[in-house]
Amino acid sequence: MSGKPQDKNAGSVRRRPKLIVAENGHQKVLEIGHKITTLGRSHENTVEIDDISSSRLHCQIERKEGGDYEIVDLKSRNGTVVNGVLVLRKELRPGDCIEIGKTQVFFEHISQEYADETIDLTTDYFLEPLEGLEEEDQLSMLKSEREIFLKLMEINRNLNSKVVLDDLLALVVDTVVEVTSAERGFFLLVNEDELEVRAARNMDGEAVKDAQLKFCKGIAEDAITTRKPISSDDAMNDRRLRDIEAVKELNLKSVLCVPVSSGDSALGAIYLDNRFDENAFTGNHLRWLEMVAHQASVAICNAHLFTENCRRSEDLEQAQRRLEQANTQLEENVMKKTLQLEEAIKLIPEDQPAEFKYDYSRIITRSPKMFEIFRVLDKVTDSAVPVLILGESGTGKELVAAAIHANGPRGEKEFVSENCAAIPMNLMESEFFGHVKGAFTGATSDKKGLFEVADKGTLFLDEIADMPADMQTKLLRVLQEGEIRMVGGKDVVHVDVRVISATNKDIFDMVGKQEFREDLLYRINVITINLPPLRERREDIPLLVDFFLERIAARSGDEKKAIDQDTFQLMYQYDWPGNIRELENEIERLSALCDDVIDSHLLSPNIQANGNKSGVTLNGKPLKDIVARTVEDVESQVIHSALVDTNWKKSRTAEVLGISRPTLDAKILKYALKRELDSGPGTNGQ
């Protein structure tokens, strides 16, 4: 790190936090100098965001009394996202990424742990000195520091997923070598007062040969004993290290070693070196490595606990094999339960949760994602605000629009639905606004337009993104003024229409490409509903299949067709790019071709090919991943069968099923499972 020594009082500052705003391919750095910093599209904001997804007053950053900063969403239309998570209020940390539409705002600030201390410009905890640097250099440095902090977040997430110690240590070494550009990296663990190399990598990601002889043991032991990191830019000439024999033998230039400890216990150290370059490691590298060492110590303790628990029960590999065998048996039980689809359907509760204010029974679903949408609809149905429904083709956008209309105060009036892509361009104005007799060739009488027909009711405009530009302009005027004029007419007609729009295209991207009017989007997009595709709500496939089969049977007067196990499995695995509409068409086709039972050989070739290609198997997955693809009855039966097999020894049953003991107890209570008198010996349930 650079910087001239200064008088402590003269050279000490409290660095203000900075925002790096990245939008439209450009970046700028802004310093936060106020207690409240607002962000949004309005010129009144401290930080003006030129993004159509931003509300006028979108969010604000507040400085708290302790000096920390917090971001607060101001009831924005599209929400405020921090590090990929939608938030209403969140304390900001260094490197946090605030997303407003496609605009990214990076928060750079020293942590509160150090904010109350007097910080010298040459030893700022997170930021290298920026004085004297051009803005472009400052931005580059801030971006580099942000990448380091994002890497810390990434390694934290990855560490939480590792329970095998060697995998965990290898992950740490791979990451720190990548971030610091070290020539070599080592993870050392204390083993009976000796230092053991448990992971070693060079800059090419390859294992270091004879690793036990390739690091300076004296430096590592000193760092572990003193519990203080050791850093040197030129170890051969460093008076602290130059007398250590290994430093000379290894020809070390740059060295960085950070102890890893847990409470009073010394676990080991993370050791980095470079034999060719001096000044290879920065102050930021040291501080970042200290954070990694802290997180690694927690993960190491967790890994030790996991391994110890496995050893108490049985060898880890044997436990894995037994778990795979148990899951194979579970898969067989699942398949037995799906021999006939209608048997499972009878066990699925068809009623939607009673918590909803309105009736959505026409929308066939038991998906949590759809239930979340219903909760939003409950809040907006009574109002007259425009709604924009987004989703792939065939996801049921018109059904949602019809539900809003039927449940709302306009339910007794007309619900008019029109596909904007299906109207010829030369007839579009007449179709929407009507025409008078003689307005054009073929206009033999007056005709009301869609807006007038839907007066006091609801007009659903499907595929609105396909509307021509000149018609967009005319539609905008109607939405603003509430008035129409028939083609060829002079009189102004006042209309009161609630407009619900829908599209399967990325309308926001179209606005950016100037293919759709931005001001019209604001008018129709007060409330946004995003419908999930069928592949994200597979739990609805059995319900929808049964619904379509029932409807076909009622229409034809024949018995309802059945579906065999293989057919249902292939249909469940298929992604349905055409969504519910494609599923409906497939059921119609299968019903016409089959006799009493729909066999898998009748399925469309693309569905059969998907099943052959995917090779989906449930073997080796825990219980929760298996039962997620079937009805609750299957889960109940599998748990009951496992309890019987283990003589109701709950700890053993939980182990076989791959779930925790508290989870098993909760599921036994949920399904009211009881032990029969002839279940066998062993009644303690332990």
Side-chain angles (χ1 to χ4, degrees):
M1 298 174 66
S2 60
K4 297 179 180 180
Q6 311 174 38
D7 180 319
K8 184 172 184 178
N9 294 328
S12 298
V13 298
R14 293 180 183 270
R15 191 181 305 284
R16 290 177 175 176
K18 292 180 173 61
L19 297 178
I20 303 175
V21 183
E23 64 175 341
N24 300 325
H26 302 287
Q27 292 180 318
K28 56 185 176 182
V29 180
L30 305 173
E31 192 175 73
I32 298 179
H34 305 283
K35 186 173 182 179
I36 295 180
T37 301
T38 59
L39 298 87
R41 276 191 302 107
S42 171
H43 299 300
E44 302 170 358
N45 290 287
T46 314
V47 181
E48 185 178 348
I49 303 295
D50 184 20
D51 192 306
I52 63 171
S53 299
S54 171
S55 299
R56 294 185 70 257
L57 295 175
H58 197 97
C59 61
Q60 66 185 29
I61 297 175
E62 302 174 358
R63 185 175 71 243
K64 300 194 296 186
E65 291 185 3
D68 289 338
Y69 286 80
E70 191 172 56
I71 188 165
V72 180
D73 183 76
L74 299 178
K75 298 182 179 179
S76 62
R77 182 174 67 253
N78 294 311
T80 302
V81 176
V82 178
N83 300 328
V85 179
L86 195 66
V87 300
L88 296 177
R89 178 182 292 269
K90 182 186 184 300
E91 186 172 322
L92 290 173
R93 297 298 184 191
D96 279 351
C97 177
I98 305 164
E99 296 178 75
I100 301 175
K102 295 183 179 180
T103 301
Q104 293 182 316
V105 181
F106 303 114
F107 180 76
E108 300 292 347
H109 182 43
I110 57 175
S111 70
Q112 181 57 29
E113 180 182 355
Y114 298 90
D116 294 330
E117 300 179 8
T118 302
I119 303 171
D120 191 273
L121 287 174
T122 61
T123 58
D124 194 337
Y125 188 74
F126 285 119
L127 303 176
E128 297 281 4
L130 301 180
E131 286 71 13
L133 295 179
E134 297 294 334
E135 181 176 320
E136 182 178 349
D137 294 332
Q138 294 185 25
L139 178 59
S140 176
M141 186 172 291
L142 289 173
K143 288 172 64 179
S144 174
E145 290 156 356
R146 174 185 171 272
E147 291 301 321
I148 288 178
F149 284 108
L150 290 180
K151 208 66 179 178
L152 178 65
M153 293 167 58
E154 178 183 346
I155 198 172
N156 285 348
R157 289 193 298 267
N158 290 334
L159 284 176
N160 291 332
S161 67
K162 300 293 183 183
V163 292
V164 178
L165 185 58
D166 286 338
D167 291 346
L168 186 154
L169 302 182
L171 169 67
V172 172
V173 174
D174 287 339
T175 304
V176 298
V177 169
E178 176 188 351
V179 171
T180 62
S181 298
E183 182 199 352
R184 300 179 303 187
F186 301 79
F187 206 118
L188 313 171
L189 287 186
V190 177
N191 184 13
E192 297 181 357
D193 297 328
E194 292 291 330
L195 276 181
E196 178 185 2
V197 178
R198 294 295 294 269
R201 298 284 192 277
N202 59 28
M203 63 175 60
D204 295 325
E206 298 174 348
V208 177
K209 296 180 180 179
D210 299 323
Q212 200 69 35
L213 306 175
K214 298 297 178 64
F215 73 97
C216 181
K217 186 177 179 181
I219 292 177
E221 289 178 340
D222 190 26
I224 293 171
T225 302
T226 62
R227 301 289 182 90
K228 294 181 180 180
I230 294 177
S231 176
S232 178
D233 293 333
D234 185 5
M236 295 283 288
N237 297 312
D238 191 324
R239 58 182 177 80
R240 301 170 300 163
L241 311 176
R242 61 192 179 194
D243 293 332
I244 300 177
E245 195 64 31
V247 171
K248 301 175 183 178
E249 293 176 356
L250 296 172
N251 193 31
L252 297 181
K253 294 288 177 55
S254 300
V255 178
L256 182 56
C257 185
V258 173
V260 179
S261 57
S262 176
D264 296 330
S265 302
L267 302 178
I270 302 174
Y271 175 101
L272 306 175
D273 67 19
N274 193 309
R275 295 171 296 171
F276 306 103
D277 296 327
E278 299 176 0
N279 302 304
F281 307 116
T282 68
N284 284 338
H285 289 151
L286 170 58
R287 296 171 181 88
W288 179 80
L289 200 60
E290 288 179 304
M291 298 179 197
V292 172
H294 174 71
Q295 295 299 325
S297 67
V298 176
I300 289 172
C301 292
N302 290 338
H304 280 312
L305 288 174
F306 176 83
T307 303
E308 182 61 28
N309 288 335
C310 288
R311 286 173 179 170
R312 287 175 184 174
S313 58
E314 55 189 332
D315 178 77
L316 184 59
E317 292 184 2
Q318 182 181 357
Q320 181 64 30
R321 287 195 300 271
R322 297 185 65 186
L323 182 59
E324 291 176 357
Q325 293 172 359
N327 281 331
T328 300
Q329 182 61 46
L330 289 175
E331 180 186 358
E332 293 176 0
N333 291 339
V334 171
M335 291 300 99
K336 291 178 182 178
K337 285 295 177 178
T338 54
L339 284 174
Q340 295 294 332
L341 175 62
E342 57 268 28
E343 294 180 10
I345 293 296
K346 293 176 183 178
L347 301 175
I348 301 175
E350 295 184 1
D351 295 335
Q352 296 164 0
E355 61 187 281
F356 298 133
K357 180 179 179 181
Y358 293 113
D359 176 28
Y360 303 104
S361 58
R362 290 193 61 197
I363 303 175
I364 309 300
T365 185
R366 60 185 179 93
S367 166
K369 291 186 177 181
M370 292 300 296
F371 289 167
E372 285 300 318
I373 290 175
F374 293 166
R375 293 185 183 94
V376 175
L377 297 184
D378 275 350
K379 298 177 182 179
V380 304
T381 293
D382 285 337
S383 68
V385 297
V387 176
L388 177 62
I389 305 174
L390 304 177
E392 297 178 8
S393 178
T395 50
K397 296 187 285 294
E398 185 170 353
L399 277 177
V400 173
I404 296 174
H405 169 77
N407 291 325
R410 299 171 182 260
E412 299 298 323
K413 301 297 181 179
E414 290 288 333
F415 174 76
V416 180
S417 175
E418 186 59 66
N419 189 320
C420 298
I423 306 175
M425 190 177 303
N426 59 331
L427 296 179
M428 186 164 285
E429 185 175 359
S430 170
E431 190 71 20
F432 277 102
F433 309 137
H435 62 258
V436 299
K437 181 179 178 180
F440 50 84
T441 302
T444 57
S445 62
D446 290 355
K447 177 188 175 183
K448 290 184 178 181
L450 297 175
F451 271 94
E452 195 170 355
V453 172
D455 188 33
K456 302 298 189 298
T458 302
L459 177 59
F460 175 59
L461 301 179
D462 198 6
E463 305 306 340
I464 193 171
D466 293 320
M467 181 176 287
D470 59 337
M471 192 61 199
Q472 293 178 29
T473 304
K474 295 172 182 177
L475 176 61
L476 177 63
R477 182 179 60 81
V478 175
L479 296 180
Q480 290 174 333
E481 307 297 335
E483 299 175 345
I484 63 170
R485 183 182 287 111
M486 288 185 171
V487 176
K490 297 181 180 179
D491 297 333
V492 172
V493 179
H494 294 275
V495 291
D496 175 17
V497 177
R498 181 177 192 175
V499 174
I500 301 177
S501 309
T503 180
N504 61 5
K505 296 183 178 179
D506 187 345
I507 197 169
F508 300 100
D509 184 60
M510 292 178 67
V511 169
K513 297 178 180 178
Q514 298 184 344
E515 296 173 356
F516 194 87
R517 290 185 63 106
E518 181 178 5
D519 45 5
L520 177 57
L521 178 60
Y522 293 145
R523 280 286 176 180
I524 65 175
N525 185 35
V526 177
I527 300 295
T528 306
I529 302 295
N530 285 281
L531 291 184
L534 186 56
R535 60 183 173 274
E536 293 181 8
R537 40 183 283 213
R538 293 181 190 272
E539 60 269 39
D540 287 343
I541 292 178
L543 288 174
L544 291 166
V545 169
D546 190 66
F547 172 77
F548 293 140
L549 290 174
E550 288 274 10
R551 190 172 66 180
I552 293 170
R555 186 178 64 212
S556 64
D558 298 330
E559 290 291 328
K560 188 176 76 169
K561 305 296 176 67
I563 292 183
D564 71 7
Q565 169 189 338
D566 293 338
T567 305
F568 173 66
Q569 191 70 12
L570 288 170
M571 294 178 71
Y572 198 94
Q573 294 168 5
Y574 184 56
D575 280 344
W576 301 104
N579 295 293
I580 301 172
R581 187 177 297 120
E582 182 185 5
L583 175 61
E584 179 182 7
N585 291 340
E586 182 69 12
I587 295 298
E588 291 277 359
R589 192 184 68 83
L590 292 171
S591 296
L593 294 175
C594 76
D595 295 324
D596 296 330
V597 179
I598 300 175
D599 296 322
S600 60
H601 74 276
L602 296 175
L603 289 169
S604 297
N606 53 334
I607 300 178
Q608 296 189 49
N610 177 76
N612 294 333
K613 176 179 62 177
S614 62
V616 175
T617 173
L618 301 180
N619 187 25
K621 292 186 178 180
L623 177 65
K624 63 179 183 180
D625 291 335
I626 298 174
V627 300
R629 292 196 170 193
T630 189
V631 291
E632 288 187 347
D633 178 62
V634 175
E635 184 176 32
S636 172
Q637 293 294 329
V638 169
I639 293 174
H640 183 268
S641 176
L643 286 166
V644 171
D645 290 344
T646 61
N647 292 325
W648 276 76
K649 295 180 179 179
K650 295 181 181 178
S651 296
R652 175 61 180 156
T653 302
E655 177 186 353
V656 169
L657 296 177
I659 60 177
S660 67
R661 170 65 184 272
T663 299
L664 176 63
D665 289 335
K667 291 185 181 295
I668 291 174
L669 180 63
K670 175 181 177 180
Y671 297 122
L673 299 178
K674 296 181 180 180
R675 181 174 183 175
E676 295 83 356
L677 295 177
D678 58 348
S679 295
T683 60
N684 58 11
Q686 304 300 314

